[in-house]
Every structure is written in C-alpha cells, then in structure tokens.
Amino acid sequence: MLIFVIIIIGGLLYRYRWTIRYLYYIVKSKHLGYVKPLQVDTHFLYDAFISYADEDETFVHWTLLKHIEQEGNIRCCVHKRDFVPGNDIATNITSAIHNSRKTVVIMSHSFLASDWCMFEFNMAKMESIYSRSNENIIFIVFIEQLSSKDLPLNVLELVQSKSYIEYPNDKYGDVVFWEKVKETLSM
C-alpha cells in the first residue's frame, strides 16, 4: 500500500512539476519583495520580456531591440541587461515574466536545446494560466525554419492553437513583420 501511495504522489509531482515550480518562485519572489502583486488595472514595468537563447543574441540586440524599443517605443526586459545581479536566475525569470505584459519567445533550434529557455517558456505558460486567467501572453517569433517534429509537445500545442509569426527573408515581408510585432506588443 505504501509503495502504491509513493508511486501516485510521484506521478502527481511529475505531472504538475511546472505548476509547482511556478508557484514556488512566485511565492518566493513575493516574500522577498521582488514581485509586486498584479491587479487588473496595473501598469506593467515592461511591455515585453524577451526570451531567447544566447546563440540568438545578435538578432535580439542588434535587430529586434532596435526595431521595437527605438522605433516602436516598447519597453523590453532582456536578461543580460535587466536582471537583478545577485538574485537567482529562476527568480529573475519569474519576476521578469510577471512584470511584463507579454513574453516574446525567439524560437530557434538553440532555444529548444536550452534548459533555461524552456524554463522561461514554461514559466510564461504558467503565468498565463494562473495569474492572468488564461490570457495568451506568449508571442512566438520563429527566426529559423523548424518542423513540427522538432518542437516539444508543449510548444507544438501553443503553436497549433495560437498565432505566431515567422521572421521573413525578403524586404517587403520585413516591413510587414516589424509592424505586426510592434502592433502586437503595444496592445
């Protein structure tokens, strides 16, 4: 009987591991004063938290931020620039997601291979479910061609049910792309 109970508890802990992690870091952040509680009419500290792999840093810092921060006047949280030194990485991530209106996921093979990037993605999903009443706060930008077999199930589910945008390879598409990104992040 004891073995059966242990197996059931282990299965439940595994099934709800992202929810438990999210709740742990939010409670920890609130307790330490890093996260201010949200209300319905709260103004966010950032318009967007940018989640990306280190290998995509050039695109983010030299292309994305130039277009959306400088030209679009959108406040972004980027981990290399805006995380609080001395805090846990996980606490910084959950605080940044909690204090941002949207989370922009720069999707690439490098993103999918990074444990921290997948942690950011999963924490953003938990934020949308538990703190924002199922509001879609994740905005996926594909900067590489990825087939559906390359995507984990939790990412594929979001891609199939919500809209996303692909970074274009042509000049006309580039103009439309940046307008759509700015429009989405300023809503």
Side-chain angles (χ1 to χ4, degrees):
M1 186 66 157
L2 181 63
I3 293 172
F4 178 72
V5 169
I6 290 172
I7 290 172
I8 295 296
I9 290 173
L12 288 172
L13 288 174
Y14 181 77
R15 169 75 171 95
Y16 295 104
R17 68 190 180 278
W18 289 111
T19 305
I20 293 167
R21 278 184 174 177
Y22 170 75
L23 294 174
Y24 168 75
Y25 286 116
I26 287 296
V27 168
K28 181 180 173 186
S29 295
K30 285 183 181 178
H31 176 67
L32 297 175
Y34 299 134
V35 175
K36 306 200 175 29
L38 284 178
Q39 289 137 14
V40 176
D41 61 347
T42 300
H43 294 286
F44 292 96
L45 188 57
Y46 302 103
D47 294 314
F49 168 62
I50 312 296
S51 176
Y52 64 96
D54 285 336
E55 293 81 357
D56 303 323
E57 182 177 13
T58 303
F59 171 78
V60 169
H61 287 277
W62 296 105
T63 307
L64 180 79
L65 292 179
K66 179 184 138 213
H67 283 281
I68 63 176
E69 277 191 332
Q70 294 172 7
E71 297 171 13
N73 202 23
I74 295 168
R75 295 167 302 176
C76 295
C77 178
V78 181
H79 72 268
K80 296 234 176 186
R81 178 184 69 192
D82 299 309
F83 277 10
V84 179
N87 287 354
D88 282 4
I89 294 172
T91 301
N92 272 321
I93 290 169
T94 52
S95 179
I97 292 168
H98 193 70
N99 288 312
S100 300
R101 188 177 317 118
K102 297 260 186 206
T103 298
V104 178
V105 173
I106 307 300
M107 189 63 68
S108 66
H109 287 96
S110 301
F111 184 93
L112 295 172
S114 168
D115 290 335
W116 283 115
C117 289
M118 291 310 295
F119 180 80
E120 291 170 350
F121 179 82
N122 285 303
M123 289 299 107
K125 275 185 71 171
M126 294 301 112
E127 174 77 14
S128 71
I129 293 168
Y130 293 106
S131 291
R132 314 254 183 116
S133 305
N134 278 329
E135 174 191 349
N136 182 26
I137 64 166
I138 301 173
F139 179 56
I140 300 177
V141 177
F142 282 91
I143 62 170
E144 295 177 356
Q145 291 293 324
L146 296 170
S147 69
S148 58
K149 67 179 173 73
D150 294 334
L151 300 174
L153 287 177
N154 59 344
V155 175
L156 185 60
E157 173 197 6
L158 193 68
V159 167
Q160 290 176 342
S161 66
K162 307 291 182 194
S163 57
Y164 59 90
I165 193 166
E166 294 179 6
Y167 186 68
N169 293 327
D170 60 84
K171 204 139 190 100
Y172 172 72
D174 198 47
V175 172
V176 173
F177 172 82
W178 292 117
E179 287 305 315
K180 287 292 182 192
V181 169
K182 287 185 258 187
E183 176 186 327
T184 302
L185 296 180
S186 61
M187 293 177 18

